[in-house]
Amino acid sequence: TPFTADITASLKSGAEQAGKDYGVKVEYSSDADPAKQSQLIDGAVADKVDGIVVSMANPDGLEASVKKAVAAGVPVITINSGVDQFKAFGAITHIGQSETIAGEAVGERLKTMGQKNVICVIQEAGNVGLEQRCAAVAAKLGGKTTNLQVDGTDDNAVQSTITSKLQADKSIDTVLTLGGQYAIDAVAAVKDSGSSAKVATFDLSEDVTKDILSGSIVFAVDQQPYVQGFLGVTGLYLKSINGNDIGGGQPINSGPAFVTKDNAAAVQKYAANGTR
């Protein structure tokens, strides 16, 4: 799963709040480099921590370090990314969102809305999680789903690419983005192109919530990263004080949770706090 700034901030808030609630020390690190992530895990084991929570966007790069941690007797819980590998690596459970389940739910919702021609905007080439989302949407929609590759590092480029696609194909009725910030770009693209397409998105931010309330975004899929951070620390806390293993050997789903015009007002205050 891609880590946007909003997801990272919310996940960190959840982990730190759990630490405060339980009276335990939580050290948070965020680094996109798998080699540095491995070093952080190895360092935590050397420091004899009581447990490690790790997101495995690159499972192959972290496998050796995670397995060494488990072999050293350090409990590990994976969150956000790594649902297919957590058990093989020896982690207690995985807390996150199945991209397939979430994508299928989106496809079903769009089908119910009567949408038939969707462009699924992929902001990072080769990201398996993003491709899984689009494939699952396509499987349930029953109409046409076309993947649109954009440069996620450049908002202007994202907007112009979507605008061009909408101008070239007037039959497109939905722009589905895979990150909150790209939904904002899509809203601008719809306006620029004169399209009547609806915008929907995976992941949430305060700006996305505002656009849902205004009607320019129809819904957002919230994987609830705050829950991922909070429950990750909670699981290790329970292991430490009572020997509990949560999840029953299965992943724990933190999403998908849908934010629509019906509940966006209630969610907005939490989004403003960086917890949704």
Side-chain angles (χ1 to χ4, degrees), residues 98-147:
S98 161
E99 304 302 356
T100 297
I101 291 174
E104 289 175 347
V106 169
E108 289 171 352
R109 183 173 286 254
L110 291 174
K111 183 177 181 179
T112 299
M113 290 168 56
Q115 307 307 101
K116 295 179 171 60
N117 189 351
V118 177
I119 55 170
C120 193
V121 182
I122 297 180
Q123 74 270 14
E124 182 183 339
N127 187 307
V128 175
L130 298 181
E131 292 171 358
Q132 287 176 336
R133 288 177 175 179
C134 293
V137 170
K140 291 294 183 179
L141 180 70
K144 178 182 178 182
T145 303
T146 304
N147 291 358

Side-chain angles (χ1 to χ4, degrees), residues 62-124:
L62 300 183
E63 179 176 4
S65 290
V66 171
K67 286 184 173 179
K68 280 192 291 185
V70 173
V74 178
V76 174
I77 289 178
T78 63
I79 62 172
N80 193 271
S81 298
V83 64
D84 295 324
Q85 295 85 8
F86 83 90
K87 190 179 294 187
F89 290 7
I92 295 171
T93 190
H94 175 84
I95 302 164
Q97 172 178 275
S98 161
E99 304 302 356
T100 297
I101 291 174
E104 289 175 347
V106 169
E108 289 171 352
R109 183 173 286 254
L110 291 174
K111 183 177 181 179
T112 299
M113 290 168 56
Q115 307 307 101
K116 295 179 171 60
N117 189 351
V118 177
I119 55 170
C120 193
V121 182
I122 297 180
Q123 74 270 14
E124 182 183 339

Side-chain angles (χ1 to χ4, degrees), residues 145-187:
T145 303
T146 304
N147 291 358
L148 179 66
Q149 186 70 54
V150 298
D151 179 3
T153 65
D154 185 341
D155 283 336
N156 290 330
V158 172
Q159 182 178 328
S160 64
T161 303
I162 297 172
T163 298
S164 296
K165 184 68 174 178
L166 291 173
Q167 289 173 335
D169 185 353
K170 301 295 186 183
S171 69
I172 294 169
D173 57 27
T174 309
V175 180
L176 175 64
T177 58
L178 307 182
Q181 67 200 65
Y182 309 109
I184 307 303
D185 300 331
V187 169

Side-chain angles (χ1 to χ4, degrees), residues 22-40:
Y22 303 133
V24 300
K25 181 181 179 182
V26 174
E27 294 185 18
Y28 181 90
S29 299
S30 178
D31 195 304
D33 183 353
K36 292 182 179 177
Q37 292 171 9
S38 291
Q39 292 171 5
L40 289 167

Side-chain angles (χ1 to χ4, degrees), residues 239-257:
K239 181 70 171 178
S240 176
I241 67 164
N242 204 45
N244 296 119
D245 290 331
I246 63 173
Q250 300 300 312
I252 298 170
N253 290 331
S254 63

Side-chain angles (χ1 to χ4, degrees), residues 186-251:
V187 169
V190 167
K191 184 177 179 180
D192 287 348
S193 64
S195 171
S196 59
K198 297 183 183 299
V199 176
T201 190
F202 282 77
D203 298 334
L204 196 64
S205 70
E206 183 179 5
D207 288 339
V208 168
T209 308
K210 290 178 181 177
D211 276 1
I212 291 172
L213 287 169
S214 73
S216 52
I217 296 176
V218 290
F219 65 77
V221 184
D222 186 11
Q223 63 176 296
Q224 302 188 120
Y226 183 91
V227 171
Q228 297 168 10
F230 193 95
L231 290 185
V233 173
T234 298
L236 293 180
Y237 176 70
L238 289 171
K239 181 70 171 178
S240 176
I241 67 164
N242 204 45
N244 296 119
D245 290 331
I246 63 173
Q250 300 300 312

